[in-house]
Amino acid sequence: MCKLRNRRKDQPAIGLLASGAMWIEEIVAGRPAWRHAPSGVVFRKVPGGTFRMGLSDPELDAVRAIERGGGVEDTIEPFLAGAGDAQPVREVRVEPFLMARHPLTVAQVRHWLPEYEDPYAEAGTSTARLEDDLDDLLKLLPFRLPSEAQWEYAARAGTTTLTFRGDGKPGEDQLLDDFGDETRTSAGENPFGLAAMGSANELCADVWIPGFAAAPADARPRTGDGPRAVRGGAADVYPWQGCDEWLLLLSATRYEHTQFTAVRPVAPLPPR
């Protein structure tokens, strides 16, 4: 069983006051972006559309093909047995929204929680992983958590494969956990301009419910009591220990929040 690790330019164009927060429209890494001026968090516009949400039969076939090709280190049986947690596949309609370019970093979290300390982070530019401070941050954020549908739609970025890069087995080279190197961050972006989708375990607004039976078709989060759903997390068990951690990079992988988590907020489009 895998063990969690224990480790401690662009020109502004327009400033707008939207939803009580100042937004600056910029070009970041050659793409349009919105910067939340008070905190410096960069958001991308995710276009609206429809997509097939969930773990499809072709994706399961792709995972089995990786196994047949000798690409499995341990066993994928638990993953296959839990495939129903990400099914049935269904069409979901998503309205345009803003999503943070990458998970909040330690430095960004300190904008709202000045005393925040992160035992898992190596630098202020590293992804923040919150435990005891999570509820405090969520109360202070002027943004909200993405629904699972928004997260998966953003991760797929118009693709239907295991990751936005295709059906090949993703490797450790695809992990991105520190955003101090702009060149590396830009190289890790998907077609929507979002970096590190799947690297950190990102908290969603939905309560954890196994499977998608009767789930909304309009990207609303499912609400209720209990732990929330989490997406991603392949960098949380780095260096990989041969437990098929690459499965956490898949766009459809989902599970129940139990420990620390990263936060990648979303927001409505600023008015023009």
Side-chain angles (χ1 to χ4, degrees):
M1 183 175 181
C2 291
K3 296 181 180 179
L4 295 172
R5 62 179 174 177
N6 181 19
R7 60 173 180 83
R8 293 177 327 91
K9 293 236 193 163
D10 302 316
Q11 298 297 318
I14 305 171
L16 293 174
L17 188 64
S19 302
M22 181 65 73
W23 294 99
I24 301 172
E25 193 171 4
E26 301 182 352
I27 299 297
V28 174
R31 301 171 184 260
W34 291 90
R35 185 182 299 275
H36 178 243
S39 65
V41 178
V42 172
F43 288 74
R44 299 288 197 193
K45 176 183 176 181
V46 178
T50 60
F51 80 114
R52 300 283 291 172
M53 181 177 178
L55 187 62
S56 67
D57 288 340
E59 286 174 299
L60 285 170
D61 289 343
V63 171
R64 294 187 182 100
I66 292 170
E67 180 184 38
R68 289 194 299 273
V72 172
E73 295 89 3
D74 190 5
T75 176
I76 61 170
E77 288 309 313
F79 175 81
L80 296 176
D85 287 345
Q87 294 174 334
V89 175
R90 71 200 199 288
E91 187 169 278
V92 178
R93 183 180 71 259
V94 183
E95 298 298 325
F97 63 98
L98 294 183
M99 187 174 212
R101 186 188 184 202
H102 53 71
L104 294 181
T105 66
V106 172
Q108 289 169 343
V109 168
R110 286 175 180 156
H111 173 76
W112 292 283
L113 299 174
E115 305 302 318
Y116 174 69
E117 296 294 334
D118 194 317
Y120 305 103
E122 296 176 346
T125 52
S126 297
T127 297
R129 288 175 170 81
L130 296 111
E131 294 183 272
D132 296 338
D133 295 307
L134 177 61
D135 288 340
D136 292 336
L137 177 65
L138 295 180
K139 289 175 184 176
L140 293 170
L141 277 179
F143 315 117
R144 57 182 175 79
L145 293 170
S147 70
E148 280 200 86
Q150 287 177 316
W151 195 96
E152 186 174 325
Y153 178 73
R156 290 187 180 278
T159 67
T160 59
T161 47
L162 293 178
T163 72
F164 76 90
R165 293 180 172 90
D167 280 330
K169 177 185 173 181
E172 291 183 61
D173 59 321
Q174 295 185 22
L175 300 180
L176 186 56
D177 201 45
D178 187 286
F179 306 98
D181 184 338
E182 176 56 37
T183 299
R184 188 157 186 264
T185 301
S186 300
E189 291 182 336
N190 70 14
F192 286 169
L194 301 168
M197 298 295 288
S199 284
N201 54 349
E202 298 185 21
L203 193 66
C204 294
D206 300 61
V207 69
W208 168 256
I209 300 173
F212 293 134
D218 60 359
R220 285 175 294 150
R222 293 187 286 180
T223 59
D225 296 326
R228 289 191 174 99
V230 172
R231 296 300 191 105
D236 296 318
V237 285
Y238 178 84
W240 286 355
Q241 303 149 50
C243 303
D244 295 303
E245 297 90 337
W246 57 274
L247 291 165
L248 292 168
L249 279 169
L250 307 190
S251 298
T253 298
R254 61 187 298 264
Y255 55 98
E256 180 180 343
H257 175 225
T258 58
Q259 201 176 355
F260 58 69
T261 186
V263 171
R264 185 194 299 253
V266 296
L269 297 181
R272 290 186 174 275

